[in-house]
Amino acid sequence: AYVYRCNKKWTQSIELSKGDRMWKDCIDTANESADADTIEKLLRFFCETSEKECFCAALYTCYAHISPDIALELGWINGYHNFVMPFFIQNFKHTHQRLKALEEKTAPKTEDSAQDEVAATYGGLNGFNSGTLMLENGGPMMAPPQMQNGIDMSGFGVPNGIPQQGMPGMGMGM
């Protein structure tokens, strides 16, 4: 059975393990196969042979690959309510956590938080008069930056920090 399992021949490995009554090997091989049909056949086999504990162990081990409707059907038909219940408790918990995470991701933002987000975006613009934007034409002007150690800090290349009237190089008497 181990050789078949290593060669990924899941069905042959499980059949040999069933013949030897090696239930744990059957369950581990079915889980490793990750094939829902193979796992369902094994669960049905455990129900036919009245191996309740093996049925429960297979549900636990192969949890990620078992459809809840298959587990419910087999548990209900065979009267394995107490053996199938841990599977459903875990399944409901997992489903609830996934739904809660989805609801948190897709919840619409409230108006206050949207406004706070916009304010935070524009409030952090340094260099724009501490976050306020001035969009005026000809309105009150800010004082030009002062010269520090003879260096013009205005960024406009104006000599001595004093803007000249008119076009550069043209006298006012024209």
Side-chain angles (χ1 to χ4, degrees):
Y2 180 73
V3 174
Y4 283 121
R5 184 175 174 182
C6 289
N7 291 320
K8 300 184 187 318
K9 301 212 182 272
W10 313 118
T11 308
Q12 292 91 339
S13 177
I14 290 172
E15 290 303 320
L16 282 175
S17 295
K18 282 181 189 176
D20 294 338
R21 297 183 57 85
M22 302 291 290
W23 307 136
K24 183 175 179 355
D25 288 344
C26 289
I27 294 169
D28 290 340
T29 302
N31 185 43
E32 191 176 331
S33 76
D35 180 36
D37 291 334
T38 303
I39 296 169
E40 182 181 345
K41 288 176 187 174
L42 182 63
L43 288 172
R44 290 187 186 279
F45 171 78
F46 287 144
C47 289
E48 291 168 3
T49 57
S50 298
E51 295 287 345
K52 298 176 184 179
E53 292 82 9
C54 293
F55 175 78
C56 184
L59 286 176
Y60 178 77
T61 304
C62 305
Y63 170 78
H65 311 294
I66 299 173
S67 177
D69 61 324
I70 299 297
L72 180 63
E73 174 190 345
L74 293 174
W76 180 58
I77 289 173
N78 296 292
Y80 293 170
H81 304 293
N82 291 336
F83 295 95
V84 79
M85 195 52 63
F87 173 83
F88 280 110
I89 292 170
Q90 182 64 31
N91 193 297
F92 286 136
K93 178 183 178 193
H94 186 216
T95 303
H96 175 71
Q97 288 174 340
R98 288 178 52 203
L99 283 174
K100 188 174 182 180
L102 277 173
E103 286 174 352
E104 288 173 1
K105 278 184 179 179
T106 60
K109 295 181 180 179
T110 62
E111 236 180 80
D112 295 337
S113 67
Q115 289 176 355
D116 291 344
E117 190 175 307
V118 170
T121 301
Y122 290 113
L125 297 175
N126 292 333
F128 286 107
N129 195 17
S130 302
T132 57
L133 299 176
M134 181 179 273
L135 301 175
E136 296 181 8
N137 187 11
M141 299 288 285
M142 291 177 36
Q146 300 298 322
M147 288 182 53
Q148 295 178 352
N149 299 331
I151 300 172
D152 180 20
M153 300 301 289
S154 68
F156 294 111
V158 180
N160 298 328
I162 302 170
Q164 297 177 351
Q165 298 295 325
M167 294 182 65
M170 302 292 268
M172 293 298 287
M174 293 189 100

